[in-house]
Amino acid sequence: MFINPMWDHESQRVGKQRCTPVGYMLHGISDLIGFIAIICLLGVIIYLAYACIRGEFTSGTLWYLLVPFTIAILGNVLHSYSWYLADKRQFKYDYEKSTSTWVDGSGVQQSYEYGMDADETDQTDSR
C-alpha cells in the first residue's frame, strides 16, 4: 500500500517514460507520496506511544492513524492513474524479451529495448 512495485527492467521504466512523460512523472510523484505516508505512519506511531506514556492517550487519538493511510491511498490512486495513461497508449511490456511497446500520438507503434538505441542515449539528460 505504501510502496509501489519496482520496475521489472530498465526497458519498462524508460519505455513508460517515452510513452507517457506525464504518466511517468505521476508515477514518480506517487512513489514520493508513498514515502511521505510511511514517514507519517512512523510519526503517528511514535506520537501514540508518547501519548500513552504521558497518560494522555484516548481512543479518539487512534483517528490520527487515518492520516498516513489516506495519504497512501492518494499515492495508490495516482499510481493507478499513471498506468491508465500508459494503457491509453496501449503500453505493453514483454517480460521475456524485455521490450516495451506503445502507440504514439500519431498512431505509429513504437518500441524500446534497453541498450538497443544506436542514435539515442538511455539517459534522459544527455547534455
Side-chain angles (χ1 to χ4, degrees), residues 5-23:
M6 293 294 294
W7 300 102
D8 288 318
H9 193 274
E10 190 68 5
S11 292
Q12 184 184 32
R13 185 190 69 78
V14 176
K16 184 175 180 184
Q17 183 180 27
R18 291 183 181 183
C19 170
T20 172
V22 171

Side-chain angles (χ1 to χ4, degrees), residues 43-119:
V44 168
I45 290 172
I46 290 171
Y47 173 75
L48 292 175
Y50 176 74
C52 189
I53 291 170
R54 291 203 41 157
E56 298 172 357
F57 180 82
T58 62
S59 60
T61 57
L62 288 176
W63 284 100
Y64 291 141
L65 286 172
L66 283 179
V67 172
F69 286 101
T70 303
I71 294 171
I73 290 170
L74 241 140
N76 286 345
V77 168
L78 204 58
H79 181 258
S80 295
Y81 185 68
S82 78
W83 280 108
Y84 168 76
L85 291 175
D87 287 341
K88 277 179 48 175
R89 291 234 169 144
Q90 301 171 9
F91 181 83
K92 302 283 184 244
Y93 176 69
D94 185 348
Y95 294 92
E96 294 177 7
K97 297 179 184 176
S98 298
T99 303
S100 296
T101 58
W102 66 94
V103 176
D104 66 6
S106 60
V108 177
Q109 183 166 356
Q110 303 287 325
S111 67
Y112 177 78
E113 185 175 348
Y114 183 74
M116 298 305 288
D117 285 347
D119 59 337

Side-chain angles (χ1 to χ4, degrees), residues 1-5 29-42 45 65-73 75-76 79:
M1 169 178 243
F2 292 95
I3 299 174
N4 297 322
I29 291 170
S30 74
D31 288 342
L32 181 62
I33 289 173
F35 178 71
I36 291 169
I38 287 176
I39 299 299
C40 285
L41 180 63
L42 181 64
I45 290 172
L65 286 172
L66 283 179
V67 172
F69 286 101
T70 303
I71 294 171
I73 290 170
N76 286 345
H79 181 258

